Amino acid sequence: MTGRGRRLVAALVGLALVAGCGAERPDSQVWHDGRIFVATGNTTGVYYQLGGGYADLITQHLPGYEARAEPTGASVENITRVASGDMEIAFSLADTASDAVQGRGTFDKQPQPVRALARVYSNYTHVIVRTSGKIDSFADLRGKRVSTGSPRSGTDIIAGRLLTAAGMDPTRDIQRFNLSLPETVKQMRTNDLDAMFFAGGLPTPGVKDLLSSAPGKFRLLPLAELVEPLDARYSGVYTAATLPKDVYGTPEPTPTITVANVLVVPVDMPEQLAYDLTRVLFTWQGDLIRVHPEAANFNRASAAATGAVPLHPGALRFYRTG
């Protein structure tokens, strides 16, 4: 059932209760019948964990609202579902969100009516290979069986851009599979894949499970050589970073690429609700840190730096006035 369908059922139940007890109608200021659905990502990813924690905080601290996190295929799907009214809040990679509001890339000539609440933490690009697969460099992915993430996900977009930056055609030069993170991990274990991409926070539960369950069978591929060609085409979007060795217990730190995450909402969300959602995010940030350590990287001082994605007026008011 879609978010819209769930809201309809909730509204009908609520109306029946009101009619049965003779109570007054709910406050007209409650938006979408008080139901907020948070579009996240794969169930073994950080979006899903943080989305669940954020939904709990909304339910606890915004009277009249009940929120729930929904697993999805992540960024592209999330944005289209928010734009269509099927979801109220979504996590997205900043590069995907930028394309969405400008009508570029996957959203070619179809700008999406979304706005940002906050820039949150950064996603690290994981490229994991089987050590027996004779893949010593990124170029060695040519001809290999590779999962580039769920269809319509930010991971899939980044994977395609990295392959292009390395001089490969993403659809011809690898055996490309669009698989969710749980299915990707499963097929890596059964030797049905040679490599995988995933863009996520640290640690990503599914990645940690894969690497810890079979020490020495898989390794992270360094991406330092691709920073310059990627930046030449997408200036300022991607940043070189190092994935610390203690995150997954790897022998050495791994040079990689990061991209920011943003929280997006519909352009027509009421200003006061957007303000309150932003306030909840930072007022109870400590509770989110207990859900996943990436929440410690939410920084109010830089949260308004959402790039090409305009801030919702309610979020902007929060950053200006607190």
Side-chain angles (χ1 to χ4, degrees):
M1 184 183 294
T2 66
R4 185 175 293 141
R6 284 185 289 267
R7 279 193 296 274
L8 178 58
V9 171
L12 291 173
V13 171
L15 287 172
L17 291 172
V18 169
C21 65
E24 294 182 1
R25 294 177 61 187
D27 186 344
S28 62
Q29 296 302 309
V30 174
W31 192 57
H32 284 190
D33 303 307
R35 297 281 175 162
I36 292 179
F37 292 97
V38 184
T40 60
N42 290 282
T43 55
T44 55
V46 178
Y47 280 0
Y48 187 71
Q49 290 194 332
L50 285 175
Y54 187 32
D56 288 344
L57 292 177
I58 293 168
T59 300
Q60 292 171 29
H61 300 292
L62 285 192
Y65 287 96
E66 181 178 344
R68 188 169 77 186
E70 292 287 313
T72 67
S75 297
V76 176
E77 178 186 339
N78 289 358
I79 288 173
T80 56
R81 294 182 74 175
V82 164
S84 70
D86 192 42
M87 295 277 168
E88 285 72 35
I89 307 171
F91 285 82
S92 175
L93 289 171
D95 57 345
T96 305
S98 177
D99 283 351
V101 298
Q102 297 180 81
R104 300 186 314 194
T106 304
F107 306 94
D108 187 35
K109 299 178 182 178
Q110 294 181 331
Q112 301 296 297
V114 298
R115 295 293 182 264
L117 291 184
R119 172 178 177 155
V120 282
Y121 65 99
S122 291
N123 267 11
Y124 284 69
T125 303
H126 304 71
V127 180
I128 302 169
V129 301
R130 289 191 298 109
T131 53
S132 61
K134 298 181 180 179
I135 303 172
D136 298 317
S137 68
F138 196 87
D140 293 334
L141 291 176
R142 191 180 297 271
K144 302 296 186 181
R145 301 165 300 172
V146 183
S147 171
T148 59
S150 298
R152 297 169 60 79
S153 68
T155 292
D156 192 40
I157 290 174
I158 290 176
R161 290 177 175 180
L162 284 168
L163 289 161
T164 300
M168 285 185 266
D169 185 322
T171 60
R172 296 180 182 179
D173 290 336
I174 62 168
Q175 298 177 55
R176 188 173 188 171
F177 296 88
N178 285 122
L179 304 172
S180 69
L181 181 56
E183 184 61 25
T184 295
V185 168
K186 177 182 176 181
Q187 294 200 27
M188 288 288 285
R189 285 177 172 151
T190 57
N191 294 332
D192 292 313
L193 289 172
D194 301 305
M196 61 171 282
F197 286 77
F198 192 77
L202 302 181
T204 291
V207 171
K208 186 173 184 178
D209 185 44
L210 176 66
L211 295 177
S212 64
S213 65
K217 188 174 181 179
F218 307 102
R219 70 183 185 89
L220 287 157
L221 202 62
L223 302 178
E225 65 194 272
L226 298 177
V227 173
E228 188 174 335
L230 199 63
D231 190 59
R233 186 163 185 178
Y234 305 101
S235 179
V237 175
Y238 301 101
T239 304
T242 299
L243 204 161
K245 65 180 182 179
D246 60 339
V247 174
Y248 299 114
T250 54
E252 299 293 337
T254 306
T256 189
I257 291 165
T258 65
V259 60
N261 289 295
V262 292
L263 282 173
V264 299
V265 296
V267 68
D268 64 347
M269 175 176 277
E271 180 178 329
Q272 185 59 45
L273 178 56
Y275 175 92
D276 287 336
L277 289 170
T278 312
R279 176 178 57 82
V280 166
L281 185 69
F282 288 100
T283 302
W284 286 279
Q285 184 178 356
D287 291 344
L288 280 179
I289 294 171
R290 286 188 282 275
V291 172
H292 194 282
E294 279 290 9
N297 294 315
F298 294 10
N299 186 340
R300 179 171 170 174
S302 61
T306 54
V309 187
L311 280 172
H312 191 286
L316 181 60
R317 177 160 63 90
F318 172 80
Y319 296 123
R320 286 179 173 173
T321 64

